[in-house]
Amino acid sequence: YGGQGVIMTGYIFGKAAAIYDEIHSTMTQSFGPEARGSACAAAVVVDEVFVDYPYLQRTDVLIALSREGYEKYAEDLKEDGILIYDEDLVTPDDKVSAGAKKFGIPATRIAEDLGKRIVQNIVVVGFATAATEVVGKEAARQAVESSVPPATVDLNLQAFEKGYEHFHS
């Protein structure tokens, strides 16, 4: 939902792919008229070849940061797709195929331990980078660093590293 940094998360993955990994990417976004608390989504298409159609038919990777987002998009995940979710906010059910890989992370708790719940999305960026390998770690890290306000770079990079490390723990 709006206010969780969903659009920023998509932007970071697209930027990591296009600028730092030099592969093609495009992003579409949708959100309700409210600034915060309404439905929100970012869809990023990454491919080795030019992306000539930016809209998803089915999703390879679904990152769900809220129950509402999960409910709305879970059935779009491919049978062998990857579901990444904040385990404090989402409980997967049978909307996702049994063949899908499911990875939960306590992203909100990790962000709170860092002192700022607002970096929950960056924790997830680190985790998803490790879990999917769609973009390289250094590309994602550079995209985070160049996308957040200068005064928050250190905190966001800590959040990224915590998420990345959590996948490998």
Side-chain angles (χ1 to χ4, degrees):
Y1 56 84
Q4 286 185 296
V6 171
I7 303 299
M8 175 63 85
T9 299
Y11 175 79
I12 288 170
F13 276 111
K15 186 176 189 177
I19 295 175
Y20 300 110
D21 273 347
E22 299 181 2
I23 50 181
H24 299 278
S25 72
T26 187
M27 181 178 99
T28 57
Q29 58 190 341
S30 63
F31 43 89
E34 302 88 354
R36 294 184 176 271
S38 63
C40 174
V44 180
V45 179
V46 176
D47 204 331
E48 295 293 327
V49 297
F50 180 78
V51 178
D52 58 2
Y53 187 76
Y55 301 101
L56 299 176
Q57 301 296 315
R58 297 292 307 265
T59 303
D60 292 302
V61 179
L62 173 64
I63 299 175
L65 300 181
S66 71
R67 182 71 194 171
E68 296 81 7
Y70 173 81
E71 292 290 332
K72 186 169 184 175
Y73 298 106
E75 292 176 347
D76 294 340
L77 185 63
K78 289 181 179 177
E79 299 235 348
D80 61 345
I82 298 172
L83 171 65
I84 295 171
Y85 60 96
D86 188 321
E87 63 188 38
D88 293 332
L89 304 173
V90 177
T91 304
D93 57 20
D94 60 1
K95 283 185 176 57
V96 171
S97 164
K101 295 177 185 170
K102 300 172 189 84
F103 300 108
I105 178 173
T108 301
R109 275 184 279 155
I110 291 170
E112 288 171 346
D113 289 346
L114 290 170
K116 294 280 187 183
R117 183 183 184 127
I118 198 165
V119 296
Q120 169 216 30
N121 66 319
I122 304 301
V123 172
V124 172
V125 168
F127 186 81
T129 297
T132 67
E133 299 180 346
V134 170
V135 296
K137 180 181 181 186
E138 190 54 34
R141 191 176 191 292
Q142 287 178 293
V144 168
E145 186 173 8
S146 65
S147 299
V148 300
T152 68
V153 168
D154 289 342
L155 174 63
N156 279 282
L157 291 178
Q158 286 177 18
F160 175 84
E161 290 297 333
K162 290 285 187 185
Y164 194 89
E165 290 167 9
H166 189 82
F167 180 78
H168 292 292
S169 62

